[in-house]
């Protein structure tokens, strides 16, 4: 009887997991070990610093906060995204054809490494796929003002 109950339990668990795709499917195939560490740390930092406005799913908040998920604005210039995270942003921007004009506050306490890690996460989740920036690339981007 125990074997039958165990078999039924396993069948239920497997069927519940089957078919559902992860939002980060393929990340492990695309990123090396170091990049995966950045990605994982970036998710934690995203939850701490970005999640309140840009949401768990990266879809932002209506017409108030722009999405990061499948965002043309994010993906076309990750160096610019690094500067926005560190120094904030004011003025209108267009994301996926929609204009947003809500200021984004600066996060001056974020280190270049933390910004790199957040970028590794947001640029490789929710359907986004990008090469991971290097720390010197992030540092250089942050120097440009």
């Amino acid at each position: 009887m125990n074997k039958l109950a165990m078999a039924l339990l396993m069948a239920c668990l497997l069927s519940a997991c089957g078919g559902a795709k992860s939002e980060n499917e393929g990340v492990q195939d695309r990123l090396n070990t170091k990049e995966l560490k950045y990605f994982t740390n970036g998710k934690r930092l995203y939850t701490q610093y970005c999640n309140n406005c840009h949401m768990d799913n990266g879809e932002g908040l209506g017409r108030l906060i722009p999405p990061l998920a499948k965002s043309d604005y994010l993906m076309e210039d990750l160096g610019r995204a690094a500067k926005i995270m560190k120094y904030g942003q004011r003025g209108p921007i267009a994301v996926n054809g929609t204009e947003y004009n809500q200021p984004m506050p600066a996060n001056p306490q974020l280190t270049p490494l933390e910004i790199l890690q957040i970028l590794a996460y947001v640029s490789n989740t929710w359907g986004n796929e990008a090469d991971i920036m290097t720390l010197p690339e992030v540092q250089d981007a942050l120097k440009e003002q």
Side-chain angles (χ1 to χ4, degrees):
M1 195 64 126
N2 282 341
K3 288 182 183 180
L4 178 59
M6 185 61 89
L8 286 172
L9 178 61
M10 291 301 290
C12 288
L13 289 173
L14 289 173
S15 67
C17 295
K21 289 190 175 184
S22 165
E23 67 186 17
N24 299 323
E25 189 172 348
V27 168
Q28 289 184 337
D29 296 332
R30 289 186 294 105
L31 304 181
N32 65 38
T33 303
K34 182 178 182 180
E35 292 169 339
L36 284 170
K37 286 179 184 177
Y38 289 161
F39 180 91
T40 303
N41 289 336
K43 182 175 184 174
R44 178 184 52 79
L45 291 164
Y46 176 87
T47 300
Q48 183 177 353
Y49 292 104
C50 315
N51 191 63
N52 276 350
C53 296
H54 293 285
M55 305 292 130
D56 284 334
N57 58 9
E59 291 182 5
L61 189 58
R63 296 184 65 105
L64 188 62
I65 307 294
L68 300 175
K70 299 177 183 152
S71 167
D72 60 353
Y73 188 82
L74 168 69
M75 299 303 287
E76 71 188 17
D77 190 345
L78 294 178
R80 173 181 62 198
K83 286 188 283 195
I84 291 171
M85 275 190 259
K86 182 80 170 178
Y87 305 116
Q89 157 130 27
R90 294 196 170 275
I93 61 170
V95 179
N96 300 337
T98 301
E99 187 171 300
Y100 297 87
N101 197 6
Q102 181 70 22
M104 178 168 155
N107 292 285
Q109 75 283 3
L110 289 176
T111 67
L113 179 59
E114 289 170 327
I115 291 170
L116 169 60
Q117 291 169 336
I118 293 170
L119 283 173
Y121 176 68
V122 299
S123 67
N124 283 284
T125 193
W126 311 306
N128 296 334
E129 288 186 21
D131 291 336
I132 304 296
M133 293 180 75
T134 65
L135 188 55
E137 287 173 333
V138 171
Q139 290 167 327
D140 287 346
L142 294 174
K143 289 178 189 174
E144 299 170 10
Q145 274 290 41

